[in-house]
Amino acid sequence: MASKKEQQEKARREALMTEILNSWAMINRNFEWQDDANCKGLNDLFFFDRGANQKKIQTAKGICGACKVKGECLEFALENKFEYGIWGGKTPNERLLMSGLHSWNDSRDTI
């Protein structure tokens, strides 16, 4: 069982993440699936800027492989046009191809 301090830190992080995400112009604001994600708590592995190495990408994709909310995760990223990180087992370039856009900049007018 987590200590009171750990619980408070978790609540603080969750409140901060909610505030950040709410400040974005997001279409899909369903976060319920995230509690069941295999990547929960592994932010440094999944949410990176451009230029991540292939080992990091393959490790992240491997964790996504058996995740029971992979579909919801991918849908969340596609609907919100997230251009960084691994979402639903897909890289930004893979999601870009799935979305039918030529670049993430093409999506700026639709958000």
Side-chain angles (χ1 to χ4, degrees):
M1 183 164 169
S3 71
K4 184 173 182 172
K5 184 177 179 179
E6 290 170 329
Q7 291 172 346
Q8 289 172 333
E9 178 61 20
K10 179 182 178 193
R12 185 193 68 75
R13 282 193 316 269
E14 288 174 355
L16 179 60
M17 181 59 82
T18 298
E19 182 180 336
I20 290 168
L21 292 174
N22 284 337
S23 72
W24 295 348
M26 293 175 55
I27 294 169
N28 182 335
R29 292 179 178 265
N30 176 12
F31 305 111
E32 293 174 14
W33 57 269
Q34 292 179 347
D35 284 337
D36 296 322
N38 287 355
C39 65
K40 186 175 179 179
L42 302 175
N43 293 349
D44 292 343
L45 180 60
F46 284 82
F47 308 113
F48 46 79
D49 204 342
R50 297 204 191 283
N53 66 45
Q54 287 301 310
K55 182 177 180 184
K56 188 173 185 178
I57 290 169
Q58 292 310 314
T59 300
K61 286 179 145 201
I63 293 169
C64 292
C67 185
K68 67 181 182 179
V69 295
K70 182 170 59 174
E72 291 94 328
C73 178
L74 180 58
E75 179 180 351
F76 182 80
L78 288 170
E79 289 180 357
N80 291 309
K81 299 178 176 74
F82 288 166
E83 62 185 284
Y84 299 108
I86 302 295
W87 291 86
K90 303 293 183 191
T91 66
N93 287 340
E94 291 167 334
R95 293 193 308 276
L96 188 64
L97 289 172
M98 293 174 77
S99 72
L101 298 171
H102 297 297
S103 76
W104 288 112
N105 290 331
D106 294 347
S107 70
R108 298 297 182 247
D109 295 336
T110 62
I111 292 182

mmCIF file of all heavy atoms in Angstrom, residues 39 42-64 84-87 89-92:
data_model
loop_
_atom_site.group_PDB
_atom_site.id
_atom_site.type_symbol
_atom_site.label_atom_id
_atom_site.label_comp_id
_atom_site.label_asym_id
_atom_site.label_seq_id
_atom_site.Cartn_x
_atom_site.Cartn_y
_atom_site.Cartn_z
ATOM 1 N N CYS A 39 1.667 0.989 -19.981
ATOM 2 C CA CYS A 39 2.731 1.995 -19.877
ATOM 3 C C CYS A 39 2.544 2.939 -18.693
ATOM 4 O O CYS A 39 3.380 3.825 -18.485
ATOM 5 C CB CYS A 39 2.804 2.813 -21.167
ATOM 6 S SG CYS A 39 1.325 3.812 -21.470
ATOM 7 N N LEU A 42 5.390 4.949 -16.981
ATOM 8 C CA LEU A 42 6.613 4.830 -17.781
ATOM 9 C C LEU A 42 6.750 6.002 -18.753
ATOM 10 O O LEU A 42 7.192 5.832 -19.884
ATOM 11 C CB LEU A 42 6.613 3.514 -18.563
ATOM 12 C CG LEU A 42 6.509 2.239 -17.746
ATOM 13 C CD1 LEU A 42 6.389 1.030 -18.659
ATOM 14 C CD2 LEU A 42 7.718 2.102 -16.838
ATOM 15 N N ASN A 43 6.395 7.184 -18.346
ATOM 16 C CA ASN A 43 6.362 8.350 -19.227
ATOM 17 C C ASN A 43 7.646 8.579 -19.998
ATOM 18 O O ASN A 43 7.610 8.928 -21.174
ATOM 19 C CB ASN A 43 6.007 9.606 -18.441
ATOM 20 C CG ASN A 43 4.586 9.557 -17.916
ATOM 21 O OD1 ASN A 43 3.801 8.697 -18.296
ATOM 22 N ND2 ASN A 43 4.253 10.465 -17.051
ATOM 23 N N ASP A 44 8.787 8.412 -19.368
ATOM 24 C CA ASP A 44 10.055 8.686 -20.046
ATOM 25 C C ASP A 44 10.291 7.763 -21.231
ATOM 26 O O ASP A 44 10.983 8.125 -22.171
ATOM 27 C CB ASP A 44 11.242 8.558 -19.079
ATOM 28 C CG ASP A 44 11.241 9.662 -18.034
ATOM 29 O OD1 ASP A 44 10.555 10.674 -18.236
ATOM 30 O OD2 ASP A 44 11.929 9.493 -17.019
ATOM 31 N N LEU A 45 9.720 6.593 -21.194
ATOM 32 C CA LEU A 45 9.906 5.638 -22.275
ATOM 33 C C LEU A 45 8.982 5.932 -23.453
ATOM 34 O O LEU A 45 9.350 5.762 -24.601
ATOM 35 C CB LEU A 45 9.644 4.212 -21.769
ATOM 36 C CG LEU A 45 9.808 3.091 -22.788
ATOM 37 C CD1 LEU A 45 11.233 3.059 -23.334
ATOM 38 C CD2 LEU A 45 9.470 1.758 -22.152
ATOM 39 N N PHE A 46 7.787 6.404 -23.182
ATOM 40 C CA PHE A 46 6.779 6.544 -24.223
ATOM 41 C C PHE A 46 6.620 7.949 -24.774
ATOM 42 O O PHE A 46 6.232 8.116 -25.919
ATOM 43 C CB PHE A 46 5.418 6.080 -23.694
ATOM 44 C CG PHE A 46 5.323 4.594 -23.635
ATOM 45 C CD1 PHE A 46 5.849 3.893 -22.572
ATOM 46 C CD2 PHE A 46 4.737 3.894 -24.656
ATOM 47 C CE1 PHE A 46 5.778 2.514 -22.522
ATOM 48 C CE2 PHE A 46 4.661 2.510 -24.620
ATOM 49 C CZ PHE A 46 5.187 1.821 -23.558
ATOM 50 N N PHE A 47 6.863 8.949 -23.980
ATOM 51 C CA PHE A 47 6.545 10.306 -24.386
ATOM 52 C C PHE A 47 7.820 11.096 -24.585
ATOM 53 O O PHE A 47 8.313 11.752 -23.696
ATOM 54 C CB PHE A 47 5.628 10.951 -23.356
ATOM 55 C CG PHE A 47 4.435 10.077 -23.081
ATOM 56 C CD1 PHE A 47 4.264 9.491 -21.856
ATOM 57 C CD2 PHE A 47 3.525 9.819 -24.083
ATOM 58 C CE1 PHE A 47 3.179 8.664 -21.613
ATOM 59 C CE2 PHE A 47 2.439 8.984 -23.860
ATOM 60 C CZ PHE A 47 2.264 8.415 -22.627
ATOM 61 N N PHE A 48 8.348 10.986 -25.786
ATOM 62 C CA PHE A 48 9.618 11.615 -26.097
ATOM 63 C C PHE A 48 9.481 12.510 -27.315
ATOM 64 O O PHE A 48 8.541 12.389 -28.100
ATOM 65 C CB PHE A 48 10.695 10.561 -26.362
ATOM 66 C CG PHE A 48 10.244 9.450 -27.272
ATOM 67 C CD1 PHE A 48 10.191 9.629 -28.643
ATOM 68 C CD2 PHE A 48 9.845 8.239 -26.736
ATOM 69 C CE1 PHE A 48 9.758 8.615 -29.473
ATOM 70 C CE2 PHE A 48 9.415 7.218 -27.578
ATOM 71 C CZ PHE A 48 9.360 7.411 -28.945
ATOM 72 N N ASP A 49 10.425 13.406 -27.451
ATOM 73 C CA ASP A 49 10.485 14.305 -28.592
ATOM 74 C C ASP A 49 11.013 13.531 -29.791
ATOM 75 O O ASP A 49 11.366 12.368 -29.693
ATOM 76 C CB ASP A 49 11.414 15.475 -28.250
ATOM 77 C CG ASP A 49 11.122 16.700 -29.075
ATOM 78 O OD1 ASP A 49 10.466 16.570 -30.125
ATOM 79 O OD2 ASP A 49 11.556 17.781 -28.674
ATOM 80 N N ARG A 50 11.100 14.149 -30.902
ATOM 81 C CA ARG A 50 11.628 13.516 -32.119
ATOM 82 C C ARG A 50 13.062 13.032 -31.879
ATOM 83 O O ARG A 50 13.783 13.560 -31.071
ATOM 84 C CB ARG A 50 11.614 14.504 -33.259
ATOM 85 C CG ARG A 50 10.215 14.959 -33.607
ATOM 86 C CD ARG A 50 10.136 15.443 -35.021
ATOM 87 N NE ARG A 50 8.899 16.110 -35.308
ATOM 88 C CZ ARG A 50 7.739 15.506 -35.519
ATOM 89 N NH1 ARG A 50 7.661 14.211 -35.462
ATOM 90 N NH2 ARG A 50 6.656 16.182 -35.774
ATOM 91 N N GLY A 51 13.440 12.013 -32.610
ATOM 92 C CA GLY A 51 14.813 11.537 -32.574
ATOM 93 C C GLY A 51 15.107 10.444 -31.559
ATOM 94 O O GLY A 51 16.259 10.192 -31.255
ATOM 95 N N ALA A 52 14.082 9.790 -31.043
ATOM 96 C CA ALA A 52 14.333 8.687 -30.110
ATOM 97 C C ALA A 52 15.022 7.553 -30.856
ATOM 98 O O ALA A 52 14.784 7.332 -32.031
ATOM 99 C CB ALA A 52 13.028 8.204 -29.504
ATOM 100 N N ASN A 53 15.870 6.833 -30.146
ATOM 101 C CA ASN A 53 16.580 5.734 -30.812
ATOM 102 C C ASN A 53 15.665 4.521 -30.992
ATOM 103 O O ASN A 53 14.641 4.374 -30.332
ATOM 104 C CB ASN A 53 17.857 5.365 -30.055
ATOM 105 C CG ASN A 53 17.598 4.781 -28.689
ATOM 106 O OD1 ASN A 53 16.740 3.931 -28.518
ATOM 107 N ND2 ASN A 53 18.361 5.224 -27.713
ATOM 108 N N GLN A 54 16.037 3.660 -31.927
ATOM 109 C CA GLN A 54 15.213 2.507 -32.279
ATOM 110 C C GLN A 54 15.012 1.547 -31.110
ATOM 111 O O GLN A 54 13.949 0.946 -30.980
ATOM 112 C CB GLN A 54 15.823 1.766 -33.476
ATOM 113 C CG GLN A 54 15.644 2.504 -34.786
ATOM 114 C CD GLN A 54 14.171 2.737 -35.106
ATOM 115 O OE1 GLN A 54 13.356 1.824 -35.068
ATOM 116 N NE2 GLN A 54 13.820 3.974 -35.410
ATOM 117 N N LYS A 55 16.001 1.410 -30.252
ATOM 118 C CA LYS A 55 15.865 0.510 -29.105
ATOM 119 C C LYS A 55 14.742 0.998 -28.188
ATOM 120 O O LYS A 55 13.906 0.204 -27.742
ATOM 121 C CB LYS A 55 17.187 0.429 -28.335
ATOM 122 C CG LYS A 55 17.116 -0.519 -27.167
ATOM 123 C CD LYS A 55 18.432 -0.644 -26.452
ATOM 124 C CE LYS A 55 18.300 -1.604 -25.286
ATOM 125 N NZ LYS A 55 19.503 -1.707 -24.497
ATOM 126 N N LYS A 56 14.705 2.299 -27.928
ATOM 127 C CA LYS A 56 13.666 2.873 -27.077
ATOM 128 C C LYS A 56 12.287 2.701 -27.731
ATOM 129 O O LYS A 56 11.315 2.334 -27.074
ATOM 130 C CB LYS A 56 13.961 4.352 -26.831
ATOM 131 C CG LYS A 56 13.061 5.003 -25.830
ATOM 132 C CD LYS A 56 13.543 6.416 -25.528
ATOM 133 C CE LYS A 56 12.711 7.045 -24.439
ATOM 134 N NZ LYS A 56 13.169 8.370 -24.081
ATOM 135 N N ILE A 57 12.229 2.931 -29.024
ATOM 136 C CA ILE A 57 10.969 2.788 -29.751
ATOM 137 C C ILE A 57 10.493 1.339 -29.710
ATOM 138 O O ILE A 57 9.318 1.067 -29.414
ATOM 139 C CB ILE A 57 11.118 3.276 -31.204
ATOM 140 C CG1 ILE A 57 11.288 4.804 -31.221
ATOM 141 C CG2 ILE A 57 9.926 2.849 -32.055
ATOM 142 C CD1 ILE A 57 11.691 5.372 -32.562
ATOM 143 N N GLN A 58 11.375 0.382 -29.971
ATOM 144 C CA GLN A 58 10.991 -1.032 -29.971
ATOM 145 C C GLN A 58 10.598 -1.509 -28.573
ATOM 146 O O GLN A 58 9.676 -2.323 -28.433
ATOM 147 C CB GLN A 58 12.114 -1.890 -30.562
ATOM 148 C CG GLN A 58 12.334 -1.650 -32.050
ATOM 149 C CD GLN A 58 11.057 -1.706 -32.872
ATOM 150 O OE1 GLN A 58 10.235 -2.601 -32.735
ATOM 151 N NE2 GLN A 58 10.864 -0.723 -33.731
ATOM 152 N N THR A 59 11.271 -1.012 -27.551
ATOM 153 C CA THR A 59 10.903 -1.366 -26.176
ATOM 154 C C THR A 59 9.498 -0.870 -25.868
ATOM 155 O O THR A 59 8.671 -1.612 -25.329
ATOM 156 C CB THR A 59 11.919 -0.785 -25.172
ATOM 157 O OG1 THR A 59 13.213 -1.312 -25.460
ATOM 158 C CG2 THR A 59 11.531 -1.107 -23.740
ATOM 159 N N ALA A 60 9.219 0.377 -26.225
ATOM 160 C CA ALA A 60 7.891 0.947 -25.983
ATOM 161 C C ALA A 60 6.827 0.170 -26.748
ATOM 162 O O ALA A 60 5.773 -0.184 -26.190
ATOM 163 C CB ALA A 60 7.878 2.423 -26.380
ATOM 164 N N LYS A 61 7.092 -0.125 -28.006
ATOM 165 C CA LYS A 61 6.130 -0.872 -28.811
ATOM 166 C C LYS A 61 5.891 -2.265 -28.236
ATOM 167 O O LYS A 61 4.771 -2.784 -28.280
ATOM 168 C CB LYS A 61 6.611 -0.977 -30.256
ATOM 169 C CG LYS A 61 6.468 0.309 -31.021
ATOM 170 C CD LYS A 61 6.988 0.116 -32.435
ATOM 171 C CE LYS A 61 6.172 0.932 -33.379
ATOM 172 N NZ LYS A 61 6.242 0.471 -34.748
ATOM 173 N N GLY A 62 6.922 -2.877 -27.693
ATOM 174 C CA GLY A 62 6.775 -4.192 -27.074
ATOM 175 C C GLY A 62 5.850 -4.156 -25.876
ATOM 176 O O GLY A 62 5.046 -5.078 -25.674
ATOM 177 N N ILE A 63 5.953 -3.113 -25.092
ATOM 178 C CA ILE A 63 5.067 -2.959 -23.930
ATOM 179 C C ILE A 63 3.626 -2.746 -24.385
ATOM 180 O O ILE A 63 2.689 -3.248 -23.782
ATOM 181 C CB ILE A 63 5.566 -1.816 -23.025
ATOM 182 C CG1 ILE A 63 6.901 -2.216 -22.391
ATOM 183 C CG2 ILE A 63 4.532 -1.458 -21.961
ATOM 184 C CD1 ILE A 63 7.629 -1.107 -21.684
ATOM 185 N N CYS A 64 3.446 -2.047 -25.489
ATOM 186 C CA CYS A 64 2.105 -1.816 -26.040
ATOM 187 C C CYS A 64 1.490 -3.100 -26.598
ATOM 188 O O CYS A 64 0.267 -3.231 -26.619
ATOM 189 C CB CYS A 64 2.154 -0.800 -27.188
ATOM 190 S SG CYS A 64 2.564 0.878 -26.717
ATOM 191 N N TYR A 84 4.031 13.420 -30.975
ATOM 192 C CA TYR A 84 5.202 12.912 -30.267
ATOM 193 C C TYR A 84 4.852 11.644 -29.507
ATOM 194 O O TYR A 84 3.719 11.449 -29.087
ATOM 195 C CB TYR A 84 5.748 13.951 -29.275
ATOM 196 C CG TYR A 84 6.185 15.216 -29.934
ATOM 197 C CD1 TYR A 84 5.455 16.388 -29.790
ATOM 198 C CD2 TYR A 84 7.319 15.246 -30.731
ATOM 199 C CE1 TYR A 84 5.853 17.555 -30.411
ATOM 200 C CE2 TYR A 84 7.729 16.404 -31.357
ATOM 201 C CZ TYR A 84 6.988 17.557 -31.196
ATOM 202 O OH TYR A 84 7.383 18.705 -31.829
ATOM 203 N N GLY A 85 5.855 10.813 -29.311
ATOM 204 C CA GLY A 85 5.707 9.640 -28.459
ATOM 205 C C GLY A 85 5.053 8.448 -29.136
ATOM 206 O O GLY A 85 4.619 8.503 -30.270
ATOM 207 N N ILE A 86 5.033 7.353 -28.390
ATOM 208 C CA ILE A 86 4.389 6.124 -28.825
ATOM 209 C C ILE A 86 2.996 6.085 -28.206
ATOM 210 O O ILE A 86 2.850 6.193 -26.994
ATOM 211 C CB ILE A 86 5.192 4.872 -28.379
ATOM 212 C CG1 ILE A 86 6.614 4.908 -28.919
ATOM 213 C CG2 ILE A 86 4.463 3.590 -28.782
ATOM 214 C CD1 ILE A 86 6.736 4.833 -30.423
ATOM 215 N N TRP A 87 1.996 5.949 -29.043
ATOM 216 C CA TRP A 87 0.603 5.867 -28.594
ATOM 217 C C TRP A 87 -0.024 4.680 -29.323
ATOM 218 O O TRP A 87 0.043 4.594 -30.541
ATOM 219 C CB TRP A 87 -0.167 7.138 -28.938
ATOM 220 C CG TRP A 87 0.265 8.334 -28.169
ATOM 221 C CD1 TRP A 87 1.292 9.176 -28.484
ATOM 222 C CD2 TRP A 87 -0.302 8.829 -26.967
ATOM 223 N NE1 TRP A 87 1.390 10.160 -27.540
ATOM 224 C CE2 TRP A 87 0.424 9.979 -26.598
ATOM 225 C CE3 TRP A 87 -1.361 8.419 -26.158
ATOM 226 C CZ2 TRP A 87 0.128 10.720 -25.460
ATOM 227 C CZ3 TRP A 87 -1.652 9.163 -25.028
ATOM 228 C CH2 TRP A 87 -0.914 10.292 -24.687
ATOM 229 N N GLY A 89 0.964 1.782 -29.616
ATOM 230 C CA GLY A 89 1.977 0.980 -30.293
ATOM 231 C C GLY A 89 2.467 1.569 -31.606
ATOM 232 O O GLY A 89 3.160 0.890 -32.359
ATOM 233 N N LYS A 90 2.129 2.820 -31.879
ATOM 234 C CA LYS A 90 2.500 3.448 -33.146
ATOM 235 C C LYS A 90 3.374 4.683 -32.916
ATOM 236 O O LYS A 90 3.159 5.447 -31.977
ATOM 237 C CB LYS A 90 1.248 3.882 -33.927
ATOM 238 C CG LYS A 90 0.278 2.771 -34.209
ATOM 239 C CD LYS A 90 0.859 1.756 -35.166
ATOM 240 C CE LYS A 90 -0.158 0.673 -35.490
ATOM 241 N NZ LYS A 90 0.415 -0.451 -36.180
ATOM 242 N N THR A 91 4.336 4.851 -33.799
ATOM 243 C CA THR A 91 5.206 6.030 -33.768
ATOM 244 C C THR A 91 4.458 7.216 -34.381
ATOM 245 O O THR A 91 3.427 7.051 -35.039
ATOM 246 C CB THR A 91 6.485 5.794 -34.592
ATOM 247 O OG1 THR A 91 6.110 5.671 -35.980
ATOM 248 C CG2 THR A 91 7.252 4.581 -34.121
ATOM 249 N N PRO A 92 4.995 8.420 -34.206
ATOM 250 C CA PRO A 92 4.363 9.580 -34.852
ATOM 251 C C PRO A 92 4.225 9.418 -36.371
ATOM 252 O O PRO A 92 3.173 9.742 -36.927
ATOM 253 C CB PRO A 92 5.310 10.734 -34.496
ATOM 254 C CG PRO A 92 5.918 10.317 -33.200
ATOM 255 C CD PRO A 92 6.092 8.824 -33.335
#
